[in-house]
Amino acid sequence: MRLRNIPGADEVISNSAFCIQNPIELKGKWHEFFGNTNPIHIEVGMGKGRFLMDLARQNPQINYIGIERYTSVLLRAVQKIDEDPLDNVHFLCIDAATLPEIFDHNEVDRIYLNFSDPWPKDRHAKRRLTSREFLARYNEILTADGRIEFKTDNQDLFTFSLEEIEASELWHLDASTRDLHHDPKMNQGNIMTEYEEKFSSKGNPICKLIASR
């Protein structure tokens, strides 16, 4: 998918107090950065940031880091947080493949993956955020009781994700549903993303899984 370049986005991201410019230097020091020992949750592919910031408002005792590769998308989240600052939220403009270079072992307590790019062609399977390649990266940074929460409306991607977890010796599927909004147990406390609201309004069932090691 080709994204429209927004003039000035790079400069805004570079100058934002909420965007960390040299995250590799903070590997193993994230709790020092936040100034507390609270759990660290990250969202990979955060888009415009609605989900992450709603979570942060509800859970001030948790540190949140939003990860987005494209400045033109991250710009929207920066504009939102400038209007309503949150002390427990920061952003990274990075490729998710570099996560083990940025977070140390046992440094992240939870990873959220919401409506990730499905990369539908077979030759691009390694790029999917629920592929075994990315699961191995998550394994390097999660705490012993850490977990992944994944939501999508793409049935093929969800099937692929279930199969990747099942094939892995490191991961265990804790829960899953192919119709989140009609699953009373898994939908309890659910916070919707922009895409989730859009797709569900069209009648698309939302899938969700939770996996741990």
Side-chain angles (χ1 to χ4, degrees), residues 13 26 29 46 66 68 91 93 95 121 134 158 170 174 180 208 213:
I13 301 307
L26 293 173
K29 303 175 182 177
M46 59 170 280
E68 177 54 53
F91 305 135
C93 190
D95 189 313
K121 296 181 180 179
F134 273 96
F158 193 68
L170 297 172
D174 298 327
L180 174 63
K208 180 176 180 177
R213 293 179 299 162

Side-chain angles (χ1 to χ4, degrees), residues 30-177:
W30 283 102
H31 286 108
E32 293 178 33
F33 171 79
F34 279 104
N36 58 55
T37 58
N38 295 340
I40 295 174
H41 293 189
I42 67 175
E43 182 183 6
V44 182
M46 59 170 280
K48 299 176 183 178
R50 169 180 162 180
F51 172 84
L52 190 79
M53 286 185 270
D54 283 351
L55 268 181
R57 291 187 191 96
Q58 290 186 14
N59 302 285
Q61 76 285 2
I62 296 174
N63 301 317
Y64 291 94
I65 300 173
I67 295 169
E68 177 54 53
R69 182 177 181 180
Y70 301 104
T71 57
S72 294
V73 179
L74 182 55
L75 175 65
R76 303 306 187 195
V78 171
Q79 291 170 334
K80 289 179 183 178
I81 204 167
D82 282 343
E83 295 174 359
D84 185 11
L86 293 162
D87 293 336
N88 60 332
V89 174
H90 280 81
F91 305 135
L92 302 180
C93 190
I94 61 166
D95 189 313
T98 65
L99 285 174
E101 300 172 26
I102 292 169
F103 297 100
D104 210 346
H105 299 292
N106 302 312
E107 201 162 28
V108 175
D109 294 85
R110 192 170 303 177
I111 298 174
Y112 298 100
L113 309 171
N114 293 314
F115 300 88
S116 311
D117 190 331
W119 292 101
K121 296 181 180 179
D122 289 343
R123 69 175 184 271
H124 292 153
K126 291 182 180 180
R127 299 185 184 183
R128 298 169 190 159
L129 292 181
T130 51
S131 67
R132 61 194 67 188
E133 288 78 12
F134 273 96
L135 289 174
R137 293 181 178 111
Y138 306 147
N139 180 61
E140 291 187 48
I141 66 175
L142 278 171
T143 57
D145 58 350
R147 72 189 197 199
I148 297 169
E149 296 191 12
F150 170 60
K151 289 195 287 187
T152 183
D153 72 315
N154 188 300
Q155 295 287 337
D156 290 340
L157 178 60
F158 193 68
T159 297
F160 167 84
S161 304
L162 292 172
E163 291 172 349
E164 291 292 275
I165 290 170
E166 183 178 354
S168 172
E169 296 180 356
L170 297 172
W171 293 91
H172 173 265
L173 182 66
D174 298 327
S176 70
T177 178

